Each structure stands twice: as C-alpha cells, then as structure tokens.
Amino acid sequence: MHMRPLMIDLTGKKVVIIGGGEVGARKARFFAPAAEVTVISRSFSPHLSGIDVKRIPRDIRDLPDGKIRALLDGAFAVVAATPDPSLNNRIGTLCREKGILFNNASGDTGDLLIPSVIAGDHFLLALSTEGESPAVSRFLREHLQSTLPELDRMVALQGRLRKYLLDIEPDSRKRKDIVIKVLHDPSVWVALAKSEEGAWQIIEEKYLQ
C-alpha cells in the first residue's frame, strides 16, 4: 500500500459509519466531535451512548445501490463497520464510485486507515501498522503514555522556550542547541511532573544565564 499520514481538519465534514455495534461505536468515538458523524444501523450499541452522533435506524442489507448511494451523499469519509465483509465490500465499491474516502472494518482494505491515537492539549500522535497488527499500535500507544506521562507539558514548555529564545538569542544554531538540551534533560522532565514553573526555573538556571 502507498499510505501516507495526514492531519486533516474535520470541522464541518460529514463522516458516515454503517454499523452501530461496538466497532461502529469505536469508530464514531474517533471522529466525533471533530466531524459531523452519522451512524446508520438497524440497531445501536450502548457503547454509542454519550457520543455526539446522528443516528439513522436503517437495515441497508437489502437496499438497492441507488438508495445506499443516497445515504452516502455529502460524506467526506465512510466507515463500513458491519460484521458482514461482503456488505462492507459493497459499500466500499459505492464509495469509490463517488470518490469518498473509505475505511473497511472487515473485508477488503479501503483507502483510509484509522490509526491508534495519543492526544494531549498540545500534541497529536497517530500510530499505524497499516492493518497488519493493531496490537502493536496499541502497545506503542500504551508504552508512550506510560513512559512519557508529561509529554503534553513538555510540548507546551518547548513552545514557551522557543518564543522566549527568539527574543534573546539571534543565533538559530544556539537556539536549537538549547531546545534540544532541555528536551533531553531528565531534571526538566522530573520538575514538569510538579509544575511548569518549576521546570522553567531549571531552564533559566542551566541554559538561559
């Protein structure tokens, strides 16, 4: 496959998920509330509770292609999350005809993969094995979360430091050197666990004199 990672602003974009089971709920949780999510299913799992989605109760298994196409109108992306691979593949064919990005939970691989995500207020990381091993993606996510619990604070601190250095240090190489040293300084990471100001004090004492 020729997959490439992209960060896309989903504001105002419609995502249609066909299948309201546990898998569909997990996909809905990934896209909502960033996108306008519609879930189409003959029944809806309790796992969808608390997720901001529009629900359309419909069994599409016996619908003709034309009516399924109508349900997909205006979609930026479609996720087929039914337990029937042949139905999912059929949905994928219709999406390709309409030029809609398609993710298949069970069946032929679509042109859209949904990664495992780690997010904070200041960062977003996406991990994927292109569908070969979701367990590895989960392992990497859990490893990063457990080994770098202060990552969000570090990103914010680095942003603050870069802005400060632009005002006091004209040499870009020196600025880069300070930023990297701070990032690799264990004492800064330890201090961040308590407060950003404590970490900033260490930076001032060690790198900004």
Side-chain angles (χ1 to χ4, degrees):
M1 288 188 290
H2 298 285
M3 294 287 183
R4 292 294 182 271
L6 297 172
M7 297 294 181
I8 299 173
D9 184 355
L10 293 174
T11 303
K13 290 183 170 58
K14 180 181 177 181
V15 174
V16 175
I17 298 172
I18 300 179
E22 184 176 349
V23 174
R26 188 167 66 249
K27 305 292 186 178
R29 188 173 292 108
F30 176 87
F31 285 106
E36 298 175 0
V37 179
T38 297
V39 179
I40 303 171
S41 181
R42 57 180 175 172
S43 61
F44 299 94
S45 165
H47 292 282
L48 280 165
S49 298
I51 305 176
D52 184 17
V53 300
K54 177 182 178 182
R55 303 185 188 195
I56 298 179
R58 191 76 53 85
D59 187 345
I60 73 166
R61 289 176 298 178
D62 298 322
L63 289 181
D65 286 353
K67 289 192 175 181
I68 295 178
R69 288 191 189 95
L71 290 171
L72 306 181
D73 280 347
F76 171 75
V78 170
V79 177
T82 82
D84 183 349
S86 62
L87 176 58
N88 292 346
N89 292 341
R90 180 185 170 204
I91 295 166
T93 298
L94 297 176
C95 287
R96 284 189 289 274
E97 291 174 358
K98 291 174 70 67
I100 300 171
L101 293 173
F102 174 69
N103 173 262
N104 198 346
S106 177
D108 297 334
T109 303
D111 51 13
L112 175 66
L113 294 179
I114 298 177
S116 181
V117 169
I118 310 171
D121 292 333
H122 306 283
F123 77 94
L124 178 66
L125 298 177
L127 303 167
S128 175
T129 58
E130 296 193 350
E132 288 194 32
S133 178
V136 170
S137 296
R138 180 177 179 179
F139 169 80
L140 290 171
R141 173 172 56 81
E142 292 175 347
H143 177 71
L144 287 170
Q145 288 173 325
S146 62
T147 56
L148 295 173
E150 308 306 330
L151 181 57
D152 200 40
R153 286 185 173 184
M154 176 57 82
V155 176
L157 184 68
Q158 287 274 315
R160 176 181 175 181
L161 177 60
R162 290 180 68 244
K163 290 178 182 178
Y164 183 82
L165 289 173
L166 283 172
D167 291 334
I168 68 166
E169 178 53 71
D171 190 325
S172 62
R173 290 174 298 178
K174 290 182 179 179
R175 293 198 303 267
K176 181 179 179 180
D177 183 59
I178 292 172
V179 166
I180 292 175
K181 284 181 178 179
V182 167
L183 188 60
H184 288 270
D185 189 332
S187 66
V188 175
W189 285 93
V190 171
L192 269 178
K194 296 181 179 179
S195 72
E196 182 180 316
E197 291 309 314
W200 185 258
Q201 184 176 350
I202 292 174
I203 293 172
E204 287 184 321
E205 294 172 352
K206 297 178 68 173
Y207 304 106
L208 302 180
Q209 299 295 334

